[in-house]
Amino acid sequence: MSRRVYLDWHTCFREGTTSINDKKGRGRKKKVTPMLVANALENDKLLTVKPLETKFDVSYGTMQTIFMRVLK
């Protein structure tokens, strides 16, 4: 555990936090699923990662990972 993480935890517990679980709703919500990508590719087989990234508003790496899962 890094010193920064330790200090963050220490501050939380000192302020009264008793839970070690993350709060609900943290993190980026998923806007795209492999099924959505598969459906988009069915409609247009010439789509590449970049246009899909723009269409679903996700990073290039995220779209590339999903794209590879869909194509296997």
Side-chain angles (χ1 to χ4, degrees):
M1 180 183 306
S2 72
R3 181 169 171 75
R4 178 76 255 156
V5 172
Y6 169 79
L7 292 173
D8 288 344
W9 279 93
H10 181 268
T11 301
C12 286
F13 285 116
R14 191 179 51 195
E15 292 173 351
T17 300
T18 57
S19 174
I20 59 170
N21 297 321
D22 285 338
K23 294 176 185 173
K24 289 190 182 252
R26 293 187 70 181
R28 181 182 280 192
K29 304 287 186 232
K30 290 187 177 185
K31 297 178 184 178
V32 62
T33 63
M35 184 61 78
L36 288 173
V37 174
N39 289 340
L41 288 171
E42 268 185 35
N43 293 335
D44 185 357
K45 302 227 185 270
L46 299 177
L47 279 176
T48 60
V49 174
K50 191 69 175 168
L52 288 169
E53 168 194 351
T54 304
K55 176 179 178 161
F56 292 110
D57 190 31
V58 294
S59 71
Y60 184 86
T62 299
M63 185 50 65
Q64 188 175 27
T65 300
I66 293 171
F67 198 80
M68 296 309 278
R69 283 185 191 154
V70 168
L71 295 177
K72 295 181 184 168

